[in-house]
Amino acid sequence: MRQTALRPSAYPIAAIRADFPALHQKVHGKPLIYLDNAASSQKPRQVIETLAEFYAHDYANVHRGVHTLSERATARFEAAREAVRRFLNAKERAEIVFVRGTTEAINLVAQSYCRPRLQAGDEVLISAMEHHSNIVPWQLVCREKGAKLKVAPMNQKGELQLDEFAQLLGPQTRLVAVAHMSNALGTINPVKEICALAHLHGIPVLVDGAQAVPHLPVDVQALGCDFYAFSGHKLYGPTGIGVLYGKRALLEAMPPWQGGGEMIRRVTFEATEYNDLPYKFEAGTPAIAEAVGLGAAIEYLERLGLEAVERHEQELLAYATAKAKEIKGLKIIGEASSKGAILSFTLEGIHPHDVGTFLDHYGIAVRAGHHCAMPVMDFFNVPATTRASFALYNTYEEVDSLMAAIQEIIKVFG
Ligand code: PMP
């Protein structure tokens, strides 16, 4: 399987790895194997150099200045917005709001879209596999308004039960919010079908794309979603920058979330006239260099092609899954038929935190814990899992090393 799957000429893995300086270091005397990509990914030098070069030459505040540097910074900031628009295939740049990350994007929709519309007895529908940041913002607003948070169930493989989801939609549902890809299980949800079902009832859909965007091509128009949220730092870009995509008509109808500079056209002590989209939602000085860095990350991915990345990661996941299944006492948590490059597992009788610490001594970085998805852990009746999450730069050899280290752990602790 490995020999046929490698296809070194088709996927330039050596050149890709050369682009990521952080990968070329030792941890506890062993070459670093970075498998914590679902938490955050490493950065290619194209992103690191863009940040340094932007700060060295073009940095100034955006939109307000008439001087050259401000104009240059504004042009690059807006070019990054255009890169995001292209990346998501949004209709227009005005639909791309820069925020701090997925969490902030979801809170923005909860506060600005939901809060004014929710009444007692209304419902917001999410799925059973959501990250805390796609649960808590809805809980906050539902509690305040006397609305209910409904949860569509999943099965033991970690797949959303679409028929039950459809049953939960009704005249009281104000919004659906679902993950495109689960960070704890890897499940890829049928977002297009979800949107079509919700739209039959006229219900808008927010998609939490934090995990999906680094792994598969996303086209918001083809998906038909109303809002799409993601973070730059999981997409090989900087921290502190993320995106809320929203359909123009919805964004137009929403009040601003935060007040301040940038989001206004005219202010008097009596009243304020708000700025056009997307600036209405971008109060204060934005994360300028980070947005420019995100644009560089998107260009990097566009050069590689997300289809090629997806193919490589799917092959790697299939290889890792087959190997993991050969290990006695290892249980994979999350076996959806449509799944991204995440391998969550438990080892019989060994706590996931011990597994994580042990692996670190082999230079292998994984995540051990509840992955900010405590309800998922409750559903599978485990306190935590160990999660290896793959990125475009991971290799078959790294999977082999992970599996060998797991065998060692079982020998020592099992
Ligand atoms: N949703 C999902 C599915 C995630 O994996 C994450 C990050 N772990 C988030 C939301 C939150 O992203 P951020 O912390 O960048 O806001």
Side-chain angles (χ1 to χ4, degrees):
M1 172 181 188
R2 187 169 143 195
Q3 282 72 15
T4 53
L6 251 175
R7 297 206 305 227
S9 57
Y11 191 72
I13 189 73
I16 290 169
R17 289 184 66 80
D19 286 336
F20 289 80
L23 298 179
H24 307 283
Q25 61 180 300
K26 291 197 166 167
V27 169
H28 298 300
K30 307 270 187 345
L32 169 67
I33 296 178
Y34 190 79
L35 300 177
D36 193 18
N37 297 288
S40 205
S41 58
Q42 297 300 335
K43 317 303 169 199
R45 62 181 166 74
Q46 288 83 345
V47 169
I48 299 167
E49 285 167 11
T50 295
L51 286 172
E53 169 266 320
F54 177 71
Y55 274 126
H57 298 289
D58 292 340
Y59 178 76
N61 211 331
V62 287
H63 298 138
R64 299 163 212 181
V66 289
H67 61 83
T68 302
L69 255 54
S70 177
E71 281 173 4
R72 271 198 238 149
T74 302
R76 295 191 67 176
F77 182 71
E78 292 303 326
R81 198 189 305 274
E82 170 58 20
V84 174
R85 187 210 60 75
R86 206 170 58 227
F87 184 66
L88 294 180
N89 192 31
K91 254 194 206 139
E92 40 177 331
R93 271 195 304 139
E95 296 178 320
I96 304 298
V97 179
F98 280 130
V99 289
R100 271 196 303 133
T102 311
T103 304
E104 189 172 71
I106 296 173
N107 276 279
L108 193 165
V109 175
Q111 292 301 318
S112 175
Y113 179 82
C114 262
R115 195 158 173 255
R117 288 173 175 75
L118 275 187
Q119 294 180 356
D122 284 350
E123 294 174 3
V124 172
L125 178 58
I126 61 171
S127 90
M129 68 186 85
E130 299 307 320
H131 186 279
H132 295 163
S133 61
N134 202 23
I135 303 174
V136 184
W138 311 117
Q139 264 172 353
L140 287 169
V141 76
C142 283
R143 192 156 301 157
E144 183 189 325
K145 297 289 182 168
K148 277 188 236 141
L149 186 62
K150 291 283 197 175
V151 182
M154 60 179 162
N155 64 20
Q156 286 298 322
K157 287 164 87 179
E159 294 165 332
L160 183 69
Q161 304 287 83
L162 209 54
D163 43 350
E164 303 210 25
F165 167 84
Q167 295 290 315
L168 287 165
L169 295 167
Q172 66 292 344
T173 316
R174 290 285 156 267
L175 185 95
V176 167
V178 286
H180 197 169
M181 173 172 154
S182 153
N183 69 310
L185 304 168
T187 308
I188 296 172
N189 280 316
V191 167
K192 198 173 172 171
E193 286 87 332
I194 289 171
C195 291
L197 284 167
H199 289 167
L200 285 177
H201 300 261
I203 304 163
V205 179
L206 174 139
V207 179
D208 169 357
Q211 292 297 334
V213 284
H215 302 295
L216 48 117
V218 171
D219 179 331
V220 288
Q221 294 190 66
L223 291 175
C225 60
D226 301 275
F227 298 105
Y228 197 96
F230 75 86
S231 303
H233 68 96
K234 294 181 204 276
L235 191 71
Y236 311 100
T239 53
I241 185 78
V243 168
L244 172 69
Y245 156 80
K247 281 184 183 159
R248 178 187 268 277
L250 291 173
L251 293 177
E252 292 278 16
M254 288 157 57
W257 181 39
Q258 295 178 327
E262 291 276 329
M263 51 77 72
I264 52 90
R265 187 171 298 132
R266 188 179 145 71
V267 177
T268 66
F269 287 119
E270 287 70 40
T272 293
E273 200 184 312
Y274 306 128
N275 205 341
D276 296 331
L277 290 176
Y279 311 109
K280 183 172 89 174
F281 295 108
E282 294 182 355
T285 298
I288 305 165
E290 290 80 356
V292 172
L294 174 60
I298 287 173
E299 280 166 16
Y300 183 80
L301 273 166
E302 284 173 337
R303 274 195 298 276
L304 282 182
L306 259 167
E307 291 81 3
V309 168
E310 186 183 17
R311 210 178 311 122
H312 170 72
E313 291 179 350
Q314 283 294 324
E315 288 170 358
L316 211 55
L317 177 68
Y319 179 67
T321 305
K323 287 220 135 195
K325 284 190 168 168
E326 289 167 9
I327 299 177
K328 208 170 154 274
L330 185 152
K331 184 168 186 295
I332 296 175
I333 306 290
E335 294 195 89
S337 58
S338 181
K339 205 184 145 172
I342 281 179
L343 191 72
S344 239
F345 62 91
T346 56
L347 295 182
E348 204 180 323
I350 312 171
H351 197 281
H353 286 139
D354 293 333
V355 179
T357 308
F358 194 94
L359 289 175
D360 182 53
H361 284 282
Y362 280 81
I364 303 173
V366 296
R367 181 54 66 104
H370 52 66
H371 317 296
C372 294
M374 281 182 178
V376 174
M377 301 297 114
D378 291 344
F379 178 81
F380 286 99
N381 205 16
V382 291
T385 73
T386 305
R387 181 186 69 190
S389 50
F390 305 102
L392 53 81
Y393 41 63
N394 289 123
T395 66
Y396 292 88
E397 290 73 16
E398 290 180 321
V399 172
D400 289 342
S401 300
L402 169 69
M403 297 303 162
I406 292 173
Q407 301 276 20
E408 269 301 306
I409 298 171
I410 293 174
K411 243 191 256 164
V412 174
F413 290 95

